[in-house]
Amino acid sequence: MRVPRKPTISPSKMTTYLACPTKYMWTYIDSRGKWYLRSKSYYSFGTSLHSVLQRFHDSGDKGVTTTAEAVAALEESWVQAGYESQEQMMQALGEGKEIVEKYVEESLAAPVTAKTLFVEKMFRRDLGSFVLIGRVDRIDEREGGDIDIVDYKSGRSGVNEDDLRNDLAMSAYQLILQEHFPGRKIWATIIALRADSRASVSFSTEELEQFKQDMMALAIEILDRDWENHVPVAKSLCSKCDFLPLCNKHPEFHLDSE
Ligand code: SF4
């Protein structure tokens, strides 16, 4: 007899649910939602940059080792979807080239203090009634053996330690990696590419345990929710939401009730 697979929860799922439970339903439960999703230029921009940095840090990929190769790789992997005009897209491409050029130039000039272990890798941690999963941009091993989870952000104008402490995904990654690297200190680092700034934090065991309890309560709330009888409730983000036409079809949904 086949054992049923445990449900999975990811930082993206939890973040979507916290923003709007109905959005979670259209994204992950009710398949009608996918017909309403529109491409977003900021996702395309982020995906394009990520793909170049992934290749730059991947020791098995020798195609992106210089600034010129990084710029060529960006042109090659550029995602065009979601831009309002050709002009807007070309402006974003120009900005993207400047970002990868600067990033690669500075990385090549900096002293080597860490070894990259993984790029773009999915990790999982079984937490009993569900499995916590997360795709990590990069994992480095610092000199001395500490583990560093590195996440690139392409839209932020800066980053500080508080941002990291309040970032659900970075906390979840630390929790997942704690099991994969027992006894090692785990750091979480965000690199704000546009601002060329970075910040790192490492949660204490107590902080991570508290996060685990809070996160498990949230995950169980999501998984146990009665989605069959869910009634959409208007939010401040409705006017810009792709799913508004779907929510509008529900007789109990009123946009002006928010
Ligand atoms: S339209 Fe509003 S209620 Fe419906 S999914 Fe979007 S944000 Fe949520």
Side-chain angles (χ1 to χ4, degrees):
M1 196 179 81
R2 278 180 70 179
V3 180
R5 282 174 60 182
K6 288 187 184 184
T8 57
I9 281 286
S10 66
S12 310
K13 284 185 174 179
M14 289 185 278
T15 307
T16 304
Y17 180 86
L18 289 172
C20 173
T22 313
K23 198 169 185 176
Y24 176 92
M25 182 181 78
W26 296 131
T27 308
Y28 299 108
I29 295 179
D30 192 318
S31 60
R32 283 174 294 168
K34 68 174 178 286
W35 304 113
Y36 290 79
L37 274 175
R38 293 190 302 262
S39 302
K40 309 279 186 304
S41 58
Y42 48 87
Y43 285 143
S44 298
F45 187 71
T47 305
S48 305
L49 294 187
H50 272 71
S51 124
V52 176
L53 300 192
Q54 177 188 349
R55 293 190 62 193
F56 176 63
H57 286 286
D58 184 351
S59 57
D61 184 337
K62 302 295 179 205
V64 182
T65 55
T66 63
T67 52
E69 285 170 350
V71 169
L74 183 70
E75 285 173 336
E76 210 176 282
S77 58
W78 184 250
V79 182
Q80 300 192 2
Y83 291 96
E84 283 168 14
S85 63
Q86 180 74 5
E87 192 188 359
Q88 191 193 51
M89 192 194 72
M90 291 312 289
Q91 194 181 336
L93 178 59
E95 202 182 340
K97 284 181 185 176
E98 274 177 32
I99 290 172
V100 296
E101 239 170 358
K102 193 154 197 270
Y103 181 92
V104 170
E105 205 172 87
E106 287 180 2
S107 301
L108 292 174
V112 178
T113 56
K115 183 173 101 186
T116 296
L117 300 180
F118 302 102
V119 287
E120 284 288 332
K121 185 163 170 67
M122 180 70 86
F123 283 90
R124 39 199 296 128
R125 179 169 178 177
D126 192 325
L127 289 173
S129 53
F130 65 92
V131 178
L132 177 63
I133 59 169
R135 181 173 287 279
V136 179
D137 287 344
R138 195 175 102 211
I139 295 184
D140 285 353
E141 184 179 42
R142 293 184 179 182
E143 278 175 359
D146 289 0
I147 297 298
D148 196 1
I149 305 156
V150 182
D151 198 56
Y152 312 116
K153 300 283 186 205
S154 53
R156 291 198 189 192
S157 54
V159 63
N160 59 38
E161 285 189 20
D162 283 345
D163 296 331
L164 270 149
R165 291 196 174 278
N166 295 321
D167 191 297
L168 190 150
M170 297 310 280
S171 305
Y173 297 154
Q174 285 183 75
L175 187 62
I176 297 173
L177 270 289
Q178 185 191 41
E179 190 186 63
H180 288 266
F181 295 96
R184 307 272 202 110
K185 187 164 180 164
I186 313 282
W187 291 86
T189 297
I190 286 180
I191 302 178
L193 295 168
R194 252 196 182 106
D196 192 22
S197 75
R198 64 178 67 200
S200 298
V201 294
S202 178
F203 279 5
S204 66
T205 310
E206 294 73 30
E207 285 174 317
L208 217 43
E209 185 54 33
Q210 183 59 55
F211 170 77
K212 184 181 171 189
Q213 298 308 324
D214 296 344
M215 192 273 302
M216 287 184 78
L218 174 63
I220 286 160
E221 178 185 318
I222 296 171
L223 295 170
D224 287 353
R225 193 157 179 148
D226 177 9
W227 293 108
E228 293 269 315
N229 298 303
H230 178 74
V231 176
V233 176
K235 303 264 176 192
S236 57
L237 33 115
C238 288
S239 61
K240 291 191 176 153
C241 177
D242 290 352
F243 303 123
L244 185 56
L246 273 171
C247 288
N248 267 333
K249 287 184 188 168
H250 196 286
E252 290 174 54
F253 179 76
H254 303 291
L255 195 51
D256 53 8
S257 65
E258 186 267 323

